Amino acid sequence: MMKKLLYVLALGLITVSCSTEELSTELNEGAKFTVLTGTDNSYLGTYKGTFAGFGTAKRGTVEINITETSATALLQFVDGSETLMTGTGSTGISGMKTYSFNALEGSFNFSVAADGTMPEASSVSLTDGAGSIVLAKDVTATPMRLVTGTFGCDDCGGHPVLSDENAQSSFVWNMIIPADEFGETLILTQVSFGDSWFISNGTLHEVYDKVGLLVYNDLSGSFPFGASGLVSWEATQIYSLDGACVDIRGKWTVTSPSYEKIKGWLKSDSSCNPL
């Protein structure tokens, strides 16, 4: 079975809030997205990603468009609200392009290398608080599928944050998935709860079924949880070839010497189920 490894060109990490758990930002070395001609190998073009607010249920998608003469960022949230920001740019050290995006509803900074690699968002602030933005460049060969969602506990194992009913409304599980139905690819997960947040790779496995326009495949991954724990997760994705829907459902478990029987569910905000 041929494995197609893709590299998430870069991720945006926000350092405006302390985490109660150890932050994991490890990415798999040696994998890379295919980069074509035109704006694919330039800082110009489109960057797509997801947003997660710290300590809130605020979540959504982000699309940044950079041209020679303008820069805009559109944040679309699951509650139906939108924030359109305009950016002012300059060239920083080592040729990095830097932008400051602002609107009445908030602001954030964005930087990217001249060749379109290493896009990073920082200092994200909206009217309801700080958050994180994770980004990848939407190149011709691998356009991005953006998924926002939530997670919860079936058994929280006495964990002080996961078991907190007030914190449970802030559980966010977002994904950036290359829109490719062939082979296996890397995906990026953005998990946030309370003041804790994690960014990590996962794997989108090969398609195992098609029904009409609907395509079925599995996803899986893991990331460090605190100093000695490990979160393992698996899910099934259903999506429509015409882009009409994406539906992800799955489960996760925590292996830790400090807590027992921590397990739960994850699901996307969107669904391909007509019922």
Side-chain angles (χ1 to χ4, degrees), residues 205-266:
H205 301 285
E206 290 186 334
V207 170
Y208 67 81
D209 197 10
K210 290 185 180 181
V211 180
L213 291 176
L214 295 181
V215 177
Y216 294 72
N217 52 7
D218 292 329
L219 310 90
S220 64
S222 63
F223 54 87
F225 182 76
S228 58
L230 182 71
V231 174
S232 300
W233 63 271
E234 57 185 28
T236 295
Q237 176 186 224
I238 307 171
Y239 69 92
S240 178
L241 290 172
D242 61 3
C245 67
V246 58
D247 191 327
I248 292 177
R249 299 288 184 272
K251 58 185 179 180
W252 56 270
T253 59
V254 174
T255 303
S256 170
S258 301
Y259 305 98
E260 295 182 359
K261 298 181 180 179
I262 303 182
K263 60 182 180 180
W265 51 268
L266 65 96

Side-chain angles (χ1 to χ4, degrees), residues 102-170:
N102 293 275
L104 290 176
E105 297 86 353
S107 63
F108 71 94
N109 298 324
F110 173 71
S111 63
V112 62
D115 62 358
T117 60
M118 297 186 294
E120 181 178 323
S122 61
S123 301
V124 177
S125 178
L126 297 179
T127 53
D128 50 358
S132 69
I133 292 175
V134 182
L135 295 164
K137 188 164 188 182
D138 197 51
V139 299
T140 305
T142 52
M144 299 295 110
R145 180 181 299 118
L146 304 178
V147 180
T148 62
T150 57
F151 72 97
C153 290
D154 293 322
D155 188 336
C156 294
H159 187 277
V161 179
L162 293 175
S163 300
D164 184 347
E165 293 184 0
N166 293 323
Q168 288 173 0
S169 62
S170 69

